[in-house]
PDB file of all heavy atoms in Angstrom:
ATOM      1  N   THR S 211      40.629  13.548   0.490  1.00  0.00           N
ATOM      2  CA  THR S 211      41.801  13.982   1.253  1.00  0.00           C
ATOM      3  C   THR S 211      41.526  15.353   1.839  1.00  0.00           C
ATOM      4  O   THR S 211      40.933  16.213   1.183  1.00  0.00           O
ATOM      5  CB  THR S 211      43.064  14.042   0.366  1.00  0.00           C
ATOM      6  OG1 THR S 211      42.818  14.907  -0.729  1.00  0.00           O
ATOM      7  CG2 THR S 211      43.450  12.671  -0.140  1.00  0.00           C
ATOM      8  N   LEU S 228      26.352  -1.092 -15.683  1.00  0.00           N
ATOM      9  CA  LEU S 228      25.578  -2.090 -16.411  1.00  0.00           C
ATOM     10  C   LEU S 228      25.473  -1.676 -17.869  1.00  0.00           C
ATOM     11  O   LEU S 228      25.478  -0.482 -18.177  1.00  0.00           O
ATOM     12  CB  LEU S 228      24.183  -2.204 -15.796  1.00  0.00           C
ATOM     13  CG  LEU S 228      24.160  -2.619 -14.321  1.00  0.00           C
ATOM     14  CD1 LEU S 228      22.743  -2.514 -13.779  1.00  0.00           C
ATOM     15  CD2 LEU S 228      24.678  -4.033 -14.168  1.00  0.00           C
ATOM     16  N   ARG S 231      23.110   1.112 -18.733  1.00  0.00           N
ATOM     17  CA  ARG S 231      23.488   2.460 -18.305  1.00  0.00           C
ATOM     18  C   ARG S 231      24.439   3.116 -19.291  1.00  0.00           C
ATOM     19  O   ARG S 231      24.642   4.319 -19.244  1.00  0.00           O
ATOM     20  CB  ARG S 231      24.123   2.421 -16.921  1.00  0.00           C
ATOM     21  CG  ARG S 231      23.113   2.095 -15.855  1.00  0.00           C
ATOM     22  CD  ARG S 231      23.678   2.298 -14.482  1.00  0.00           C
ATOM     23  NE  ARG S 231      22.669   1.939 -13.508  1.00  0.00           N
ATOM     24  CZ  ARG S 231      22.926   1.457 -12.316  1.00  0.00           C
ATOM     25  NH1 ARG S 231      24.164   1.298 -11.930  1.00  0.00           N
ATOM     26  NH2 ARG S 231      21.960   1.139 -11.493  1.00  0.00           N
ATOM     27  N   ALA S 235      21.075   7.187 -26.415  1.00  0.00           N
ATOM     28  CA  ALA S 235      20.308   7.331 -27.650  1.00  0.00           C
ATOM     29  C   ALA S 235      20.486   8.748 -28.183  1.00  0.00           C
ATOM     30  O   ALA S 235      19.669   9.637 -27.948  1.00  0.00           O
ATOM     31  CB  ALA S 235      18.844   7.017 -27.390  1.00  0.00           C
ATOM     32  N   ASP S 239      19.043   6.499 -35.333  1.00  0.00           N
ATOM     33  CA  ASP S 239      19.242   5.045 -35.347  1.00  0.00           C
ATOM     34  C   ASP S 239      19.261   4.473 -33.933  1.00  0.00           C
ATOM     35  O   ASP S 239      18.665   3.435 -33.663  1.00  0.00           O
ATOM     36  CB  ASP S 239      20.543   4.674 -36.075  1.00  0.00           C
ATOM     37  CG  ASP S 239      20.401   4.744 -37.585  1.00  0.00           C
ATOM     38  OD1 ASP S 239      19.257   4.731 -38.084  1.00  0.00           O
ATOM     39  OD2 ASP S 239      21.446   4.810 -38.262  1.00  0.00           O
ATOM     40  N   PRO S 253       6.420  -5.642 -23.782  1.00  0.00           N
ATOM     41  CA  PRO S 253       5.162  -6.398 -23.870  1.00  0.00           C
ATOM     42  C   PRO S 253       5.217  -7.704 -23.073  1.00  0.00           C
ATOM     43  O   PRO S 253       4.252  -8.076 -22.413  1.00  0.00           O
ATOM     44  CB  PRO S 253       4.997  -6.660 -25.372  1.00  0.00           C
ATOM     45  CG  PRO S 253       5.724  -5.540 -26.022  1.00  0.00           C
ATOM     46  CD  PRO S 253       6.906  -5.292 -25.126  1.00  0.00           C
ATOM     47  N   GLU S 269       3.342  -1.653  -6.905  1.00  0.00           N
ATOM     48  CA  GLU S 269       3.382  -0.668  -7.982  1.00  0.00           C
ATOM     49  C   GLU S 269       2.529   0.540  -7.641  1.00  0.00           C
ATOM     50  O   GLU S 269       2.884   1.677  -7.947  1.00  0.00           O
ATOM     51  CB  GLU S 269       2.924  -1.302  -9.296  1.00  0.00           C
ATOM     52  CG  GLU S 269       3.866  -2.356  -9.836  1.00  0.00           C
ATOM     53  CD  GLU S 269       3.717  -3.730  -9.181  1.00  0.00           C
ATOM     54  OE1 GLU S 269       2.848  -3.898  -8.291  1.00  0.00           O
ATOM     55  OE2 GLU S 269       4.479  -4.632  -9.556  1.00  0.00           O
ATOM     56  N   PHE S 285      10.284  17.057   3.377  1.00  0.00           N
ATOM     57  CA  PHE S 285       9.388  16.844   4.507  1.00  0.00           C
ATOM     58  C   PHE S 285       8.165  16.029   4.096  1.00  0.00           C
ATOM     59  O   PHE S 285       7.651  15.242   4.882  1.00  0.00           O
ATOM     60  CB  PHE S 285       8.987  18.171   5.144  1.00  0.00           C
ATOM     61  CG  PHE S 285      10.167  18.893   5.727  1.00  0.00           C
ATOM     62  CD1 PHE S 285      10.707  19.989   5.087  1.00  0.00           C
ATOM     63  CD2 PHE S 285      10.774  18.441   6.895  1.00  0.00           C
ATOM     64  CE1 PHE S 285      11.805  20.640   5.603  1.00  0.00           C
ATOM     65  CE2 PHE S 285      11.876  19.087   7.431  1.00  0.00           C
ATOM     66  CZ  PHE S 285      12.405  20.186   6.781  1.00  0.00           C
ATOM     67  N   LEU S 287       8.248  13.672   1.867  1.00  0.00           N
ATOM     68  CA  LEU S 287       8.748  12.300   1.802  1.00  0.00           C
ATOM     69  C   LEU S 287       8.948  11.716   3.199  1.00  0.00           C
ATOM     70  O   LEU S 287       8.612  10.555   3.443  1.00  0.00           O
ATOM     71  CB  LEU S 287      10.046  12.238   0.997  1.00  0.00           C
ATOM     72  CG  LEU S 287      10.569  10.849   0.681  1.00  0.00           C
ATOM     73  CD1 LEU S 287       9.533  10.027  -0.085  1.00  0.00           C
ATOM     74  CD2 LEU S 287      11.860  10.940  -0.115  1.00  0.00           C
ATOM     75  N   SER S 288       9.457  12.512   4.132  1.00  0.00           N
ATOM     76  CA  SER S 288       9.679  11.983   5.478  1.00  0.00           C
ATOM     77  C   SER S 288       8.358  11.653   6.174  1.00  0.00           C
ATOM     78  O   SER S 288       8.315  10.768   7.024  1.00  0.00           O
ATOM     79  CB  SER S 288      10.521  12.941   6.325  1.00  0.00           C
ATOM     80  OG  SER S 288       9.816  14.140   6.562  1.00  0.00           O
ATOM     81  N   CYS S 289       7.284  12.347   5.815  1.00  0.00           N
ATOM     82  CA  CYS S 289       5.961  12.012   6.365  1.00  0.00           C
ATOM     83  C   CYS S 289       5.366  10.794   5.661  1.00  0.00           C
ATOM     84  O   CYS S 289       4.663   9.996   6.276  1.00  0.00           O
ATOM     85  CB  CYS S 289       5.000  13.189   6.212  1.00  0.00           C
ATOM     86  SG  CYS S 289       5.370  14.557   7.296  1.00  0.00           S
ATOM     87  N   GLN S 295       3.895   0.535   2.445  1.00  0.00           N
ATOM     88  CA  GLN S 295       2.779   0.019   1.652  1.00  0.00           C
ATOM     89  C   GLN S 295       1.466   0.060   2.425  1.00  0.00           C
ATOM     90  O   GLN S 295       0.419  -0.252   1.875  1.00  0.00           O
ATOM     91  CB  GLN S 295       3.097  -1.369   1.131  1.00  0.00           C
ATOM     92  CG  GLN S 295       4.159  -1.308   0.047  1.00  0.00           C
ATOM     93  CD  GLN S 295       4.310  -2.604  -0.687  1.00  0.00           C
ATOM     94  OE1 GLN S 295       3.372  -3.354  -0.847  1.00  0.00           O
ATOM     95  NE2 GLN S 295       5.516  -2.868  -1.156  1.00  0.00           N
ATOM     96  N   ARG S 300      -5.621  -1.726   0.058  1.00  0.00           N
ATOM     97  CA  ARG S 300      -5.820  -3.156  -0.192  1.00  0.00           C
ATOM     98  C   ARG S 300      -4.575  -3.991   0.093  1.00  0.00           C
ATOM     99  O   ARG S 300      -4.602  -5.198  -0.027  1.00  0.00           O
ATOM    100  CB  ARG S 300      -6.295  -3.379  -1.621  1.00  0.00           C
ATOM    101  CG  ARG S 300      -5.280  -3.066  -2.682  1.00  0.00           C
ATOM    102  CD  ARG S 300      -5.885  -3.262  -4.077  1.00  0.00           C
ATOM    103  NE  ARG S 300      -4.898  -3.051  -5.085  1.00  0.00           N
ATOM    104  CZ  ARG S 300      -4.469  -1.869  -5.499  1.00  0.00           C
ATOM    105  NH1 ARG S 300      -4.984  -0.779  -4.991  1.00  0.00           N
ATOM    106  NH2 ARG S 300      -3.551  -1.777  -6.429  1.00  0.00           N
ATOM    107  N   LEU S 303      -5.243  -6.741   2.584  1.00  0.00           N
ATOM    108  CA  LEU S 303      -6.276  -7.724   2.296  1.00  0.00           C
ATOM    109  C   LEU S 303      -5.643  -8.999   1.770  1.00  0.00           C
ATOM    110  O   LEU S 303      -4.693  -8.968   0.995  1.00  0.00           O
ATOM    111  CB  LEU S 303      -7.265  -7.177   1.265  1.00  0.00           C
ATOM    112  CG  LEU S 303      -8.030  -5.921   1.691  1.00  0.00           C
ATOM    113  CD1 LEU S 303      -8.913  -5.447   0.543  1.00  0.00           C
ATOM    114  CD2 LEU S 303      -8.867  -6.190   2.922  1.00  0.00           C
ATOM    115  N   LEU S 308     -10.641 -12.076  -1.794  1.00  0.00           N
ATOM    116  CA  LEU S 308     -11.145 -11.080  -2.731  1.00  0.00           C
ATOM    117  C   LEU S 308     -11.846 -11.739  -3.910  1.00  0.00           C
ATOM    118  O   LEU S 308     -11.382 -12.739  -4.437  1.00  0.00           O
ATOM    119  CB  LEU S 308      -9.987 -10.208  -3.244  1.00  0.00           C
ATOM    120  CG  LEU S 308      -9.217  -9.439  -2.173  1.00  0.00           C
ATOM    121  CD1 LEU S 308      -8.038  -8.718  -2.805  1.00  0.00           C
ATOM    122  CD2 LEU S 308     -10.117  -8.450  -1.456  1.00  0.00           C
ATOM    123  N   ASP S 309     -12.945 -11.144  -4.313  1.00  0.00           N
ATOM    124  CA  ASP S 309     -13.667 -11.585  -5.502  1.00  0.00           C
ATOM    125  C   ASP S 309     -12.873 -11.151  -6.732  1.00  0.00           C
ATOM    126  O   ASP S 309     -12.589  -9.963  -6.903  1.00  0.00           O
ATOM    127  CB  ASP S 309     -15.072 -10.963  -5.489  1.00  0.00           C
ATOM    128  CG  ASP S 309     -15.834 -11.253  -6.756  1.00  0.00           C
ATOM    129  OD1 ASP S 309     -15.840 -12.416  -7.193  1.00  0.00           O
ATOM    130  OD2 ASP S 309     -16.425 -10.297  -7.309  1.00  0.00           O
ATOM    131  N   GLU S 318      -8.972  -1.701 -12.588  1.00  0.00           N
ATOM    132  CA  GLU S 318      -9.173  -0.901 -13.804  1.00  0.00           C
ATOM    133  C   GLU S 318      -9.526   0.539 -13.443  1.00  0.00           C
ATOM    134  O   GLU S 318      -9.040   1.483 -14.063  1.00  0.00           O
ATOM    135  CB  GLU S 318     -10.255  -1.534 -14.679  1.00  0.00           C
ATOM    136  CG  GLU S 318      -9.791  -2.809 -15.368  1.00  0.00           C
ATOM    137  CD  GLU S 318     -10.917  -3.586 -16.044  1.00  0.00           C
ATOM    138  OE1 GLU S 318     -12.078  -3.108 -16.037  1.00  0.00           O
ATOM    139  OE2 GLU S 318     -10.628  -4.676 -16.568  1.00  0.00           O
ATOM    140  N   GLU S 323      -7.804   6.259 -12.765  1.00  0.00           N
ATOM    141  CA  GLU S 323      -7.551   7.401 -11.886  1.00  0.00           C
ATOM    142  C   GLU S 323      -6.069   7.765 -11.880  1.00  0.00           C
ATOM    143  O   GLU S 323      -5.713   8.948 -11.932  1.00  0.00           O
ATOM    144  CB  GLU S 323      -8.038   7.086 -10.470  1.00  0.00           C
ATOM    145  CG  GLU S 323      -9.543   6.981 -10.381  1.00  0.00           C
ATOM    146  CD  GLU S 323     -10.054   6.414  -9.073  1.00  0.00           C
ATOM    147  OE1 GLU S 323      -9.237   5.972  -8.228  1.00  0.00           O
ATOM    148  OE2 GLU S 323     -11.276   6.413  -8.890  1.00  0.00           O
ATOM    149  N   ASP S 335      -0.489  20.718 -15.287  1.00  0.00           N
ATOM    150  CA  ASP S 335      -1.782  21.245 -14.848  1.00  0.00           C
ATOM    151  C   ASP S 335      -1.907  21.005 -13.350  1.00  0.00           C
ATOM    152  O   ASP S 335      -2.421  19.981 -12.911  1.00  0.00           O
ATOM    153  CB  ASP S 335      -2.908  20.545 -15.627  1.00  0.00           C
ATOM    154  CG  ASP S 335      -4.296  20.973 -15.209  1.00  0.00           C
ATOM    155  OD1 ASP S 335      -4.424  21.880 -14.345  1.00  0.00           O
ATOM    156  OD2 ASP S 335      -5.267  20.402 -15.738  1.00  0.00           O
ATOM    157  N   ARG S 340      -4.178  18.190  -8.747  1.00  0.00           N
ATOM    158  CA  ARG S 340      -4.733  18.220  -7.388  1.00  0.00           C
ATOM    159  C   ARG S 340      -6.134  17.626  -7.377  1.00  0.00           C
ATOM    160  O   ARG S 340      -6.460  16.783  -6.550  1.00  0.00           O
ATOM    161  CB  ARG S 340      -4.762  19.657  -6.869  1.00  0.00           C
ATOM    162  CG  ARG S 340      -5.118  19.762  -5.394  1.00  0.00           C
ATOM    163  CD  ARG S 340      -5.461  21.186  -4.981  1.00  0.00           C
ATOM    164  NE  ARG S 340      -6.711  21.624  -5.577  1.00  0.00           N
ATOM    165  CZ  ARG S 340      -7.929  21.205  -5.184  1.00  0.00           C
ATOM    166  NH1 ARG S 340      -8.052  20.339  -4.209  1.00  0.00           N
ATOM    167  NH2 ARG S 340      -9.013  21.641  -5.779  1.00  0.00           N
ATOM    168  N   SER S 348     -10.904  10.362  -2.613  1.00  0.00           N
ATOM    169  CA  SER S 348     -12.292  10.449  -2.157  1.00  0.00           C
ATOM    170  C   SER S 348     -13.064   9.199  -2.556  1.00  0.00           C
ATOM    171  O   SER S 348     -13.829   8.649  -1.752  1.00  0.00           O
ATOM    172  CB  SER S 348     -12.974  11.693  -2.744  1.00  0.00           C
ATOM    173  OG  SER S 348     -12.364  12.854  -2.254  1.00  0.00           O
TER     174      SER S 348
END
Side-chain angles (χ1 to χ4, degrees):
T211 57
L228 300 172
R231 290 190 181 150
D239 282 342
E269 293 81 1
F285 296 105
L287 188 58
S288 66
C289 289
Q295 289 191 31
R300 68 183 184 282
L303 299 177
L308 300 175
D309 174 47
E318 287 170 3
E323 292 169 354
D335 178 4
R340 189 194 69 74
S348 295

